[in-house]
Amino acid sequence: MMKYSELRKSVLDANAALYDSGLVISTFGNVSAIDREKRVVAIKPSGFSYKAMQVADIVVTDLDGNILEGTLRPSSDLDTHLELYKSFKSIGAVVHTHSFFATVWAQSGRGIPAMGTTHADYFNGTIPVTRKLRDDEIIDGYVRNTGKVIVEALGNNAPLSVPAALVNDHGPFCWGKDAADAVHNAEMLEAVAKIAFHARQLNQDDPEISDALLDLHYQRKHGQSATYGQPDSSK
Ligand SMILES: O=C(CO)[C@@H](O)[C@@H](O)COP(=O)(O)O
């Protein structure tokens, strides 16, 4: 009997959605989600085929990483996911990918500046890149402190206002209020990373958008629930 079947199913579905998005190849990347009331996290098993994954393969741990349900080894990024949940109280899920353009920015050691409204619709400012992790932070077969450098890089930004960071030498981590939101943010990150890469190729001096335009797009949003001008029913 699986005690955390609903959480595990939501994480299985999000990992499947991540694979279907094309943002991950092979077994790169991972998705987890947290149940803050039960104080548990469900995460993808390490190195496991997305196509073959079943609910019973999703690993459940406590917030210290102790396995509570599941027989497989949890993702090698579990410590990073747990650190983000402990530091960012407003998030419900974490996604890691090696998506092409976001990873290009991460490996270049540069954050993605807000150069257009597409960026501003989802990220309220520069998407930060972390410092490089040092060789002495490689301990017992793991790169430690990845979560710590993400939290440092985000600085004073509210986690859900800039729901992504680029880990230097590695790749992007994204998060959201739930697993579907986190996967969507990973998709938007890759779209924005690709636009910014090519914009910079055309114009090295491409300035960032104004604070006013950033604020308009980030705060206003768009769509039926947007807060700008009400539909003119008189037309
Ligand atoms: O970079 C790697 C593996 O080399 C990890 O960040 C990730 O992409 C995949 O690791 P897991 O399969 O989740 O353990």
Side-chain angles (χ1 to χ4, degrees):
M1 170 67 181
M2 291 194 289
K3 187 177 174 184
Y4 307 107
S5 53
E6 189 175 335
L7 181 65
R8 294 172 91 175
K9 179 66 167 65
S10 73
V11 169
L12 175 72
D13 292 346
N15 275 281
L18 183 68
Y19 184 76
D20 291 345
S21 72
L23 290 178
V24 292
I25 56 172
S26 183
T27 62
F28 281 137
N30 37 66
V31 185
S32 75
I34 186 171
D35 181 325
R36 290 193 182 272
E37 283 182 20
K38 296 177 181 173
R39 298 178 59 77
V40 297
V41 167
I43 194 165
K44 166 203 165 206
S46 185
F48 204 89
S49 161
Y50 285 93
K51 288 185 283 189
M53 217 177 289
Q54 302 292 324
V55 174
D57 301 319
I58 302 298
V59 183
V60 179
T61 76
D62 63 18
L63 301 188
D64 295 320
N66 301 303
I67 296 177
L68 302 176
E69 239 178 47
T71 56
L72 298 171
R73 180 195 297 261
S75 167
S76 55
D77 292 313
L78 174 64
D79 284 356
T80 303
H81 288 236
L82 293 176
E83 176 60 38
L84 296 181
Y85 289 127
K86 290 172 187 170
S87 299
F88 299 159
K89 301 297 186 192
S90 59
I91 72 173
V94 174
V95 171
H96 169 52
T97 77
H98 294 192
S99 64
F100 186 85
F101 282 96
T103 303
V104 164
W105 283 92
Q107 292 187 179
S108 76
R110 295 189 178 184
I112 305 174
M115 294 192 285
T117 58
T118 313
H119 184 121
D121 280 343
Y122 287 91
F123 304 94
N124 194 20
T126 296
I127 298 163
V129 65
T130 71
R131 70 164 171 82
K132 281 181 178 284
L133 285 140
R134 299 184 305 270
D135 292 351
D136 64 10
E137 292 174 297
I138 299 172
I139 303 167
D140 298 335
Y142 288 94
V143 177
R144 302 297 181 184
N145 295 336
T146 300
K148 178 172 172 282
V149 296
I150 290 173
V151 174
E152 286 171 359
L154 209 72
N156 296 325
N157 286 301
L160 290 178
S161 74
V162 181
L166 309 173
V167 177
N168 212 315
D169 293 339
H170 188 172
F173 280 79
C174 302
W175 44 87
K177 60 183 185 299
D178 56 33
D181 186 42
V183 171
H184 186 228
N185 289 333
E187 290 176 303
M188 292 304 105
L189 170 65
E190 181 60 11
V192 163
K194 185 174 184 180
I195 292 169
F197 176 85
H198 289 295
R200 272 286 155 84
Q201 276 186 318
L202 292 174
N203 179 355
Q204 280 292 336
D205 303 323
D206 193 358
E208 296 187 37
I209 61 173
S210 70
D211 289 346
L213 191 54
L214 174 65
D215 193 55
L216 172 70
H217 270 261
Y218 183 75
Q219 300 300 344
R220 180 199 76 176
K221 301 298 182 204
H222 54 272
Q224 296 309 308
S225 59
T227 55
Y228 62 100
Q230 296 307 313
D232 181 354
S233 55
S234 64
K235 286 178 183 166

